[in-house]
Amino acid sequence: MAAEIHSRPQTARPVLLNKIEGHSDAVNAAVLIPKEDGVITVGEDRTIRVWLKRDSGQYWPSIYHTVSSPCSCMSYHHDSRRIFIGQDNGAVVEFLISEDFNKMNHVKTYPAHQNRVSDMVFSLESEWVVSTGHDKSVSWMCTVSGSMLGRHYFTAWASCLQYDHETQHAFIGDYSGQITLLKLEKQTYSTITTLKGHEGSIGALWWDPVQRLLFSGASDHSVIMWDIGGRKGRTLLLQGHHERVQALRYLQLTRQLVSCSADGGMAVWNMDTQREEAPQWLDSDSCQKCEQPFFWNIKQMWDTKTLGLRQHHCRKCGKAVCGKCSSKRSTFPLMGFEFPVRVCDLCIDTIKEEDRAPLASFHEGKHNIAHMDMDPSRGLMVTCGSDRVVKIWDMTQVVGCSLATGFSPR
């Protein structure tokens, strides 16, 4: 059933304002045009489209441009009206959009990758375009000369990217589940560290340069907050999605994180609260509660003449336990568990009713969400995906009235 379009918010949930249809294939990226009733979309049908809202209330394309290869991603810089399009053939194409958004001129084509471009960021400060690709590399190119400045290869497809303009640090997520932090220089680079915590491929990254927080979403259905600025290795696990997380946006003003998943799930996480780190899972050959052997513990099974049990882990204390000693389930939002998870018999008694109070709200986008963009100054969000539909949402009732203060994205 399609989402109903409302003229004004009814309850504290996302309100669908408009649907844009017309693409003949998956829409891979959509961005809201700041200070304009407009959206830019790119997709597998090889088109770049600029949609402007007409007097009728509907969006119609003011620019419809076709390129030689499917468009996989884009980076749009509004002040200069420069747009960079990543393509399936590995090229990055730069265009300049006119002031009235009715014309687009080709500027340069960059030979960035040997395979599909997965993500990119344009930095006006350094005049670089940094991109990742399915050729297992990240590259950075000069937008003045059009030349390649450097490239780094990974062992897996590089899937997503965030870039800190001030420090020239790049965060690259890959299909192995790792996030690599690189310091980029002209003609060279250095590897700072590798972040490991996800059990599936990284689908989305978001960097907040103010609090120096990195957020990552992955195919293991989880989101992790990495406290880079704290320099203590602190991480917070957020689990509330039932499918792979493919889009993230942190709202620095309201301290909220918005995440979207492949099944259309939207989550708004309250990050302005004291949260606890999830424990590391402990290893043991027997249950750390009743001391019964696990099924690989042949010696203890033989000595006690008992059958081995399957190993589980308590999500609150991290101990290795058997099914009998962890038969209870509970939510524990302070650790990011917004739906019931396995808890051992001792920990279940320590969780009070007030500890189960939700710290996130969940909503249904009713379509596959492969990409999302937000304009916090207007409380707007745009989502798109493989169903070829672009949806524009009013998020002001969900993420707080303080968005109306005039805060704008960097």
Side-chain angles (χ1 to χ4, degrees):
M1 179 179 177
E4 183 181 355
I5 299 178
H6 296 276
S7 59
R8 61 175 61 88
Q10 304 295 317
T11 58
R13 59 182 176 81
V15 177
L16 182 60
L17 300 176
N18 282 94
K19 288 200 298 184
I20 299 176
E21 300 174 294
H23 283 271
S24 59
D25 210 331
V27 184
N28 291 320
V31 298
L32 294 159
I33 303 174
K35 303 176 185 178
E36 297 281 345
D37 284 326
V39 178
I40 305 174
T41 62
V42 298
E44 289 293 319
D45 60 4
R46 300 186 293 115
T47 63
I48 306 163
R49 310 188 196 197
V50 178
W51 307 79
L52 297 181
K53 190 176 182 180
R54 307 304 183 185
D55 293 338
S56 64
Q58 299 301 310
Y59 285 79
W60 294 94
S62 62
I63 295 177
Y64 185 111
H65 186 82
T66 303
V67 292
S68 60
S69 181
C71 304
S72 51
C73 58
M74 70 169 147
S75 179
Y76 173 61
H77 188 266
H78 180 65
D79 291 340
S80 63
R81 299 188 311 282
R82 297 164 73 179
I83 185 169
F84 296 81
I85 311 296
Q87 296 184 273
D88 190 63
N89 62 9
V92 171
V93 186
E94 179 186 354
F95 294 93
L96 180 63
I97 299 177
S98 62
E99 289 188 27
D100 59 5
F101 295 97
N102 285 315
K103 189 177 180 182
M104 191 168 67
N105 293 317
H106 176 263
V107 179
K108 285 188 185 74
T109 298
Y110 304 85
H113 298 276
Q114 300 298 314
N115 209 324
R116 185 180 180 93
V117 183
S118 54
D119 202 0
M120 76 172 74
V121 174
F122 166 61
S123 170
L124 182 67
E125 293 83 352
S126 56
E127 282 289 351
W128 288 1
V129 57
V130 187
S131 61
T132 55
H134 286 185
D135 58 359
K136 303 180 181 180
S137 76
V138 57
S139 67
W140 51 107
M141 295 158 291
C142 176
T143 55
V144 177
S145 64
S147 61
M148 178 74 68
L149 296 176
R151 187 190 298 274
H152 173 72
Y153 284 94
F154 304 92
T155 58
W157 280 1
S159 53
C160 50
L161 163 74
Q162 285 286 280
Y163 179 70
D164 185 80
H165 304 277
E166 291 186 6
T167 64
Q168 294 184 327
H169 284 125
F171 301 89
I172 299 98
D174 64 40
Y175 272 72
S176 73
Q178 296 184 10
I179 302 167
T180 304
L181 172 56
L182 299 177
K183 167 71 172 178
L184 305 184
E185 307 275 1
K186 287 185 178 179
Q187 311 297 331
T188 186
Y189 66 91
S190 56
T191 302
I192 306 300
T193 189
T194 301
L195 306 176
K196 300 178 181 179
H198 285 289
E199 297 179 0
S201 59
I202 309 298
L205 292 173
W206 183 265
W207 169 246
D208 174 51
V210 178
Q211 292 186 276
R212 302 192 67 77
L213 301 174
L214 178 70
F215 298 90
S216 58
S219 61
D220 59 7
H221 310 174
S222 70
V223 176
I224 295 179
M225 186 202 82
W226 311 83
D227 186 1
I228 305 298
R231 298 182 182 274
K232 296 180 180 179
R234 182 170 178 260
T235 61
L236 293 177
L237 177 67
L238 305 175
Q239 291 192 333
H241 287 284
H242 299 283
E243 256 295 348
R244 61 186 182 275
V245 181
Q246 301 190 131
L248 295 170
R249 180 67 183 261
Y250 179 63
L251 307 175
Q252 200 277 330
L253 186 67
T254 59
R255 303 296 193 272
Q256 291 171 298
L257 175 71
V258 181
S259 58
C260 300
S261 55
D263 60 356
M266 302 177 184
V268 180
W269 307 85
N270 176 17
M271 304 305 297
D272 191 22
T273 186
Q274 287 294 106
R275 291 179 177 269
E276 298 179 18
E277 289 189 70
Q280 293 291 324
W281 285 5
L282 303 178
D283 293 325
S284 179
D285 291 329
S286 57
C287 176
Q288 293 181 299
K289 299 296 182 183
C290 69
E291 299 184 352
Q292 290 295 304
F294 293 132
F295 62 83
W296 60 83
N297 191 347
I298 305 298
K299 184 180 185 303
Q300 188 177 349
M301 288 167 55
W302 176 264
D303 292 342
T304 59
K305 301 298 188 291
T306 57
L307 290 175
L309 303 176
R310 183 182 175 188
Q311 177 183 258
H312 301 281
H313 285 91
C314 172
R315 299 315 193 261
K316 189 173 187 294
C317 68
K319 289 185 176 180
V321 290
C322 66
K324 185 178 179 181
C325 293
S326 58
S327 59
K328 305 294 194 301
R329 301 289 187 276
S330 175
T331 61
F332 196 49
L334 288 175
M335 276 188 182
F337 301 117
E338 292 287 340
F339 50 75
V341 293
R342 183 181 297 274
V343 181
C344 71
D345 292 347
L346 291 180
C347 286
I348 193 70
D349 296 330
T350 67
I351 301 177
K352 302 175 183 178
E353 193 59 37
E354 54 265 31
D355 294 335
R356 297 184 174 93
L359 293 176
S361 61
F362 298 92
H363 312 277
E364 179 53 61
K366 298 184 179 179
H367 76 146
N368 164 268
I369 300 177
H371 186 270
M372 170 264 287
D373 182 45
M374 291 190 71
D375 183 348
S377 65
R378 293 180 289 173
L380 295 179
M381 180 173 75
V382 61
T383 59
C384 62
S386 58
D387 62 352
R388 310 174 187 177
V389 178
V390 177
K391 295 184 178 182
I392 301 173
W393 306 86
D394 181 353
M395 297 291 289
T396 53
Q397 297 299 306
V398 181
V399 297
C401 298
S402 55
L403 288 178
T405 59
F407 172 78
S408 60
R410 69 181 176 90

